[in-house]
Amino acid sequence: MRIRLKVFLFLALAAGVTLASPFLTTGGAIAPQGKNDLTVNMFYNQYTGSADDNGIYSSFAAGVTRLDTSFLIDLKYGTGRDSDIEIILPYHKLLYTAANGSTLAAEGVGDMIIAGRSKTNENKKQQGALVLGLGLKVPTGKSIFRLDPGTLATGTGTWDVGAITSMQESNSGFLLYTELSFWYRFGFNANRFNGRDISSISPGETVVKFMPGTLLKYDVGAEFSLAKFLSLIGELNGEVYYENRAEYMNSGANALADLIAQGSPDFTVQRSVRVKIIAGAKIYLGDRVSFGAGASFPVTLVNAYGNMTYLAHLRFIF
């Protein structure tokens, strides 16, 4: 009986291995040569509070709300048998309501990522693969250093370069996925912050030099096939934004505390940690289309919002 079950699970996973993957973790999947691999994830975030720099969570005060809807568009094109090019572009619709009823909002694209990836090792027996890549993040979103009054940031404002490692394998009926990336973030000079001139934040100063810390991203996913067309999905997604620095150009004094004190409801200039768990299910329609749904919740937060996120997922190979 055990042998039959293992054979069934292996065949079910093998039948959909080209399309199989969790919601966000790509693992060792490379787009088929000459074809496009499009994934669209929609997130509905209903935030309930925030964590401070010690990771202590506090619920929002009465009347304070934050509702965000985001689309994450991930397009890969198979440039060779074992290589592809990936473009990731988010689109955000953000709304923050303060206790006095005033609102801050934003709608537009976020920061775009362009990456080249190549499969360096493959184990067909275990459906295993190791993929290495290099990425570039372009600040196509509007950062807190470029905001107009009454708006929110859709990007960080930084150019980033990253090294990406992805792996996957089949183990005891599960498809397992991991992805690790490390991003170096370039600094810049700015004469505005959160809709204000730097001179109004610190008299005698006109420019701030912002020096962001590095970014570490990691994802672990598992997919268990219940049938050829249905899988259960579980993922752990983490982001660690390391310490940032900011200084006034004229005096060289530390400016980070002054920027944080401006009270913007965005954690874009502080060290932050976000770790979330996603659970859901996917349905496969042949070997080209899949869709699914899930929910995620935070397990670790530092200088970040806490919320339940609802997720809708579509993937299409054409």
Side-chain angles (χ1 to χ4, degrees):
M1 184 65 181
R2 283 186 176 181
I3 294 176
R4 289 181 179 178
L5 178 60
K6 287 185 176 182
V7 170
F8 167 76
L9 292 173
F10 177 81
L11 291 176
L13 287 169
V17 70
T18 302
L19 195 61
S21 72
F23 300 121
L24 299 179
T25 310
T26 58
I30 290 288
Q33 184 174 2
K35 293 187 179 296
N36 298 288
D37 182 348
L38 175 65
T39 299
V40 179
N41 287 305
M42 185 191 77
F43 306 91
Y44 177 73
N45 303 292
Q46 187 170 7
Y47 295 101
T48 55
S50 61
D52 63 16
D53 55 6
N54 294 312
I56 299 175
Y57 176 82
S58 299
S59 299
F60 283 147
V64 176
T65 61
R66 172 100 189 217
L67 298 174
D68 295 350
T69 302
S70 298
F71 294 86
L72 187 64
I73 302 167
D74 185 339
L75 176 64
K76 304 179 185 71
Y77 176 76
T79 55
R81 189 175 67 88
D82 293 322
S83 60
D84 63 17
I85 293 177
E86 180 178 25
I87 298 176
I88 301 174
L89 183 65
Y91 186 89
H92 303 291
K93 185 174 182 181
L94 315 175
L95 177 63
Y96 177 91
T97 303
N100 62 6
S102 63
T103 60
L104 300 173
E107 184 171 356
V109 298
D111 293 340
M112 178 175 63
I113 293 176
I114 303 171
R117 308 185 310 145
S118 179
K119 187 183 297 182
T120 62
N121 189 36
E122 186 173 16
N123 184 334
K124 293 184 178 180
K125 183 177 180 180
Q126 289 188 302
Q127 301 173 41
L130 171 65
V131 172
L132 302 179
L134 294 174
L136 172 69
K137 185 178 78 67
V138 183
T140 48
K142 183 171 282 190
S143 80
I144 198 169
F145 293 90
R146 295 173 49 215
L147 290 185
D148 299 321
T151 60
L152 294 168
T154 60
T156 66
T158 62
W159 289 83
D160 305 350
V161 292
I164 307 163
T165 301
S166 306
M167 293 178 286
Q168 74 179 47
E169 68 171 317
S170 176
N171 192 329
S172 302
F174 288 87
L175 274 176
L176 305 177
Y177 308 83
T178 59
E179 187 164 294
L180 179 68
S181 62
F182 183 81
W183 298 83
Y184 179 84
R185 308 168 68 210
F186 293 91
F188 55 86
N189 297 337
N191 55 18
R192 303 186 72 206
F193 181 80
N194 197 25
R196 297 181 60 186
D197 292 335
I198 296 299
S199 59
S200 68
I201 297 174
S202 179
E205 301 288 349
T206 56
V207 177
V208 161
K209 182 179 181 181
F210 182 60
M211 296 158 283
T214 54
L215 167 61
L216 175 68
K217 301 174 72 172
Y218 56 90
D219 302 277
V220 180
E223 180 170 3
F224 182 75
S225 179
L226 297 178
K228 184 177 180 179
F229 62 89
L230 177 64
S231 291
L232 298 180
I233 304 292
E235 287 186 75
L236 175 72
N237 311 118
E239 294 183 347
V240 181
Y241 288 82
Y242 289 95
E243 295 289 349
N244 302 312
R245 292 184 296 143
E247 63 182 36
Y248 294 113
M249 289 290 289
N250 290 342
S251 65
N254 183 10
L256 191 63
D258 290 346
L259 300 183
I260 294 173
Q262 293 306 303
S264 170
D266 279 310
F267 299 100
T268 56
V269 297
Q270 296 167 259
R271 176 185 179 273
S272 62
V273 178
R274 303 174 182 86
V275 182
K276 294 185 176 183
I277 290 178
I278 300 176
K282 286 180 68 175
I283 294 175
Y284 293 92
L285 303 178
D287 59 355
R288 291 180 178 268
V289 180
S290 67
F291 61 91
S296 76
F297 58 91
V299 293
T300 300
L301 294 172
V302 175
N303 287 330
Y305 288 114
N307 65 294
M308 177 68 76
T309 297
Y310 302 97
L311 165 69
H313 171 90
L314 172 66
R315 188 177 176 200
F316 179 39
I317 295 178
F318 58 99

